[in-house]
Amino acid sequence: MLLVLLLLPMCWAVEVKRPRGVSLTNHHFYDESKPFTCLDGSASVPFDQVNDDYCDCKDGSDEPGTAACPNGSFHCTNTGYKPLYISSRWVNDGVCDCCDGTDEYNSGIVCENTCKEKGRKERETLQQMAEVTREGFRLKKILIEDWKKAREEKQKKLIELQAGKKSLEDQVELLRTLKEEAEKPEKEAKDQHRKLWEEQLAASKAQREQELATSAFQELDDDMDGAVSVAELQTHPELDTDGDGALSEGEAQTLLGGDTQTDAASFSDRIWAAIRDKYRSEVLPTDPPSPSAPDLTEPKEEQPPVPSQPTEEEDEEEEETEEEEEGEEGEEEDSQVQGEQPKETPSPVVPPQTASPTEEDKMPPYDEQTQAFINAAQEARNKFEEAERSLKDVEESIRNLEQEISFDFGPNGEFAYLYSQCYELTTNEYVYRLCPFKLVSQKPKLGGSPTSLGTWGSWAGPDHDKFSAMKYEQGTGCWQGPNRSTTVRLLCGKETVVTSTTEPSRCEYLMELMTPAACPEPPPEPPAEGNHDEL
């Protein structure tokens, strides 16, 4: 088409005698020497009835230059520009439809002939389009050559990677064997270290339990006769088993295994395990420490309250009371006056403080030989993992190269350069992103998560021009609608840029991408002969 339009200026407009409104290609149907036959063959009329302002033919072909037939067509010659057909109803309607003004020959309207100026602008546009096509096609040939070279390089690289993969596989298997061999003595040494530590931990716990049992036995053995009796056990009501708050003689005897007393050995072996969770040492505070701030200091003896200063009446009453108490026989010698300390009794044995559980539960460092085994095994693991990562990287590169080499990038691979690129178009609301052969997405301009408008599906142009459009499918689903999809039309251009994005129908988007790869081969430039203005 460009060739025809560019060659038209070389042709001189030839004036051929014909009725008004008849095109040059149809003039032979209008021979004034014989009757006119309607172009649809419906009738024949004398030639003097052509353009007589009365419609004789059903197709309106007898009135090409008047408005008599509503279904007729008027031909604008438009010398200097493009010929044009308009509806016969527009003839002499007071509006200049033809750039040469020939449609208003009898309306009283004077139409300016703008065909020459329009022709000039049209030629400039066509020349610009031809220049874009020529430059775009030049770039397209470069893209084709670049892909040929790149494809050859990728094929060579693929062969190298495939050969290197076998060597890496052998290396991975060798390092796997070395790793497993190094891990065997490591495991044995670590297991032995843990076993010794657990034995030491168990012995330490047993010793602590023995110390606690011994301490409790000494506290309970009030008379220090080397045995804990039922009565001595009853001094600890917290050991109550029936929930009445007191430890009865029967309950105490049951705790002692049916005996009336027990020695230190039996207490440690049988009795302590049954009472240790309830037993409260006499030297520990009765109220448990706050969980948020544990009291790690030794418990202090409870201090007696400080008595307040008595009044005169209280002094007299106290004196009388003291006299009465002195006179009474049978009073216990250890009775206490308010505010006085009890008489001295043997101090209870304070159980030894145990180490923090967290410190005890922490396994000690490995010995030098075990650490050497660990270091050797870790070095073997590092080498194996590094080789395994290298193998995975090579396998991934092989997959990517095989996919890229086998991909359909157009008849000559001209679209291959788009494979690793992405292009964006910003509108008032969204930022549209096209990554050819991968995906299309949109994201709110003011921030937010992107929405998929489809992933690569296939080439979607018509049969005669398959590579003129791309189809992206299975995007994010619309609310109560289908999954979003996008058709990308490829237009010829010197640059690669997304020019527009629309949504012609719900959830179906249309995007236009200009690219040199879409430029067709231009027609040969016409010879520079003549200086004509007509198209």
Side-chain angles (χ1 to χ4, degrees):
M1 182 187 71
L2 287 174
L3 176 61
V4 172
L5 291 175
L6 290 173
L7 289 176
L8 280 175
M10 299 176 57
C11 302
W12 289 98
V14 179
E15 186 63 33
V16 177
K17 186 178 181 181
R18 57 191 186 276
R20 188 189 304 273
V22 175
S23 67
L24 185 63
T25 56
N26 286 343
H27 83 279
H28 59 280
F29 294 116
Y30 296 85
D31 187 352
E32 62 182 10
S33 64
K34 55 184 180 181
F36 173 74
T37 301
C38 302
L39 297 183
D40 63 358
S42 59
S44 292
V45 297
F47 192 81
D48 59 4
Q49 293 183 17
V50 173
N51 281 339
D52 65 349
D53 207 21
Y54 182 83
C55 193
D56 299 295
C57 297
K58 292 181 180 180
D59 62 358
S61 56
D62 65 311
E63 297 297 321
T66 72
C69 298
N71 60 337
S73 297
F74 181 88
H75 180 263
C76 305
T77 303
N78 290 345
T79 303
Y81 188 53
K82 295 182 293 186
L84 177 69
Y85 277 102
I86 65 172
S87 172
S88 295
R89 291 175 297 177
W90 298 351
V91 175
N92 291 322
D93 64 349
V95 178
C96 300
D97 299 297
C98 302
C99 67
D100 59 5
T102 53
D103 59 312
E104 299 299 320
Y105 62 89
N106 198 28
S107 65
I109 298 297
V110 178
C111 296
E112 180 183 359
N113 190 328
T114 60
C115 292
K116 187 175 181 179
E117 180 62 20
K118 284 190 172 185
R120 183 186 65 79
K121 291 181 179 178
E122 181 75 6
R123 283 191 295 275
E124 289 179 356
T125 300
L126 292 175
Q127 288 171 356
Q128 290 173 0
M129 290 174 58
E131 175 58 29
V132 169
T133 301
R134 283 192 294 270
E135 178 62 16
F137 187 74
R138 184 187 70 82
L139 295 174
K140 178 179 179 178
K141 290 191 292 185
I142 295 175
L143 293 174
I144 292 173
E145 290 301 316
D146 288 346
W147 171 240
K148 286 181 180 178
K149 295 178 183 177
R151 193 169 187 272
E152 291 176 358
E153 292 175 359
K154 292 177 187 297
Q155 287 174 332
K156 292 179 182 178
K157 180 67 174 176
L158 179 59
I159 294 172
E160 293 175 0
L161 288 175
Q162 289 171 337
K165 177 186 173 184
K166 182 63 174 67
S167 174
L168 272 176
E169 288 174 339
D170 295 340
Q171 183 181 1
V172 166
E173 289 307 312
L174 173 61
L175 292 174
R176 188 196 307 276
T177 302
L178 295 176
K179 176 182 75 74
E180 292 172 352
E181 291 177 354
E183 287 175 338
K184 289 178 182 178
E186 175 200 35
K187 184 178 184 304
E188 292 174 358
K190 290 174 70 174
D191 290 346
Q192 181 64 21
H193 179 86
R194 175 173 289 275
K195 181 181 178 182
L196 292 175
W197 170 66
E198 290 174 348
E199 290 175 352
Q200 293 173 1
L201 188 62
S204 176
K205 288 182 179 179
Q207 181 181 356
R208 286 201 305 274
E209 286 298 316
Q210 181 62 40
E211 291 172 352
L212 290 174
T214 300
S215 175
F217 182 86
Q218 292 173 351
E219 288 181 0
L220 289 169
D221 186 13
D222 291 334
D223 57 7
M224 299 184 183
D225 63 351
V228 173
S229 64
V230 170
E232 289 171 331
L233 197 61
Q234 284 183 278
T235 61
H236 281 259
E238 74 273 9
L239 301 179
D240 170 40
T241 59
D242 60 5
D244 63 357
L247 185 64
S248 67
E249 182 178 345
E251 290 173 324
Q253 191 169 357
T254 301
L255 289 176
L256 292 177
D259 299 328
T260 58
Q261 65 179 17
T262 183
D263 59 13
S266 297
F267 181 86
S268 297
D269 294 341
R270 297 186 296 108
I271 311 303
W272 174 242
I275 69 173
R276 76 178 305 279
D277 292 336
K278 289 185 177 181
Y279 180 79
R280 290 202 301 268
S281 172
E282 295 173 1
V283 298
L284 295 176
T286 56
D287 294 332
S290 171
S292 60
D295 187 2
L296 301 180
T297 60
E298 292 185 6
K300 297 181 179 179
E301 294 183 358
E302 185 178 353
Q303 297 296 327
V306 179
S308 58
Q309 295 293 333
T311 61
E312 293 181 4
E313 294 179 356
E314 291 174 342
D315 289 340
E316 293 176 1
E317 291 176 1
E318 288 177 3
E319 290 175 0
E320 293 176 359
T321 303
E322 289 175 1
E323 292 175 356
E324 292 176 358
E325 289 177 350
E326 289 173 358
E328 291 179 2
E329 294 181 359
E331 287 289 327
E332 294 181 0
E333 293 181 351
D334 59 346
S335 62
Q336 302 178 20
V337 180
Q338 182 180 1
E340 291 188 31
Q341 292 290 342
K343 294 181 179 180
E344 292 183 1
T345 59
S347 301
V349 177
V350 179
Q353 290 188 344
T354 59
S356 170
T358 56
E359 294 177 2
E360 290 183 355
D361 293 343
K362 185 177 180 181
M363 189 167 63
Y366 293 112
D367 59 83
E368 186 175 347
Q369 184 179 10
T370 301
Q371 190 61 50
F373 285 135
I374 294 173
N375 294 340
Q378 187 59 47
E379 184 179 359
R381 280 191 291 269
N382 292 341
K383 291 181 179 179
F384 168 74
E385 291 169 0
E386 183 179 356
E388 197 173 39
R389 282 194 299 271
S390 299
L391 178 59
K392 290 180 179 179
D393 291 342
V394 168
E395 290 174 340
E396 179 69 17
S397 298
I398 288 174
R399 284 194 296 271
N400 292 337
L401 282 173
E402 288 176 339
Q403 180 181 7
E404 189 172 355
I405 290 172
S406 62
F407 208 95
D408 186 359
F409 289 124
N412 299 295
E414 55 266 37
F415 295 100
Y417 81 103
L418 299 173
Y419 187 70
S420 58
Q421 304 297 322
C422 290
Y423 305 92
E424 291 186 350
L425 174 67
T426 301
T427 64
N428 292 333
E429 296 184 61
Y430 296 102
V431 176
Y432 293 91
R433 183 176 178 86
L434 167 65
C435 299
F437 307 110
K438 292 181 178 66
L439 57 88
V440 183
S441 65
Q442 73 173 11
K443 185 172 66 174
K445 186 177 180 180
L446 299 180
S449 301
T451 299
S452 172
L453 303 185
T455 55
W456 169 255
S458 62
W459 292 103
D463 292 341
H464 67 279
D465 195 9
K466 171 184 174 182
F467 300 101
S468 62
M470 298 173 167
K471 187 69 175 181
Y472 294 80
E473 303 168 320
Q474 298 301 316
T476 304
C478 288
W479 171 251
Q480 295 184 343
N483 290 70
R484 290 173 171 84
S485 62
T486 303
T487 298
V488 179
R489 288 198 309 191
L490 303 174
L491 307 176
C492 174
K494 294 188 289 185
E495 298 179 352
T496 305
V497 60
V498 177
T499 58
S500 68
T501 301
T502 57
E503 189 177 1
S505 58
R506 185 168 179 257
C507 306
E508 294 182 1
Y509 297 80
L510 176 63
M511 183 176 285
E512 292 187 342
L513 175 69
M514 292 188 67
T515 167
C519 292
E521 184 175 0
E525 295 187 31
E529 295 181 1
N531 186 22
H532 307 301
D533 293 334
E534 297 83 356
L535 285 178

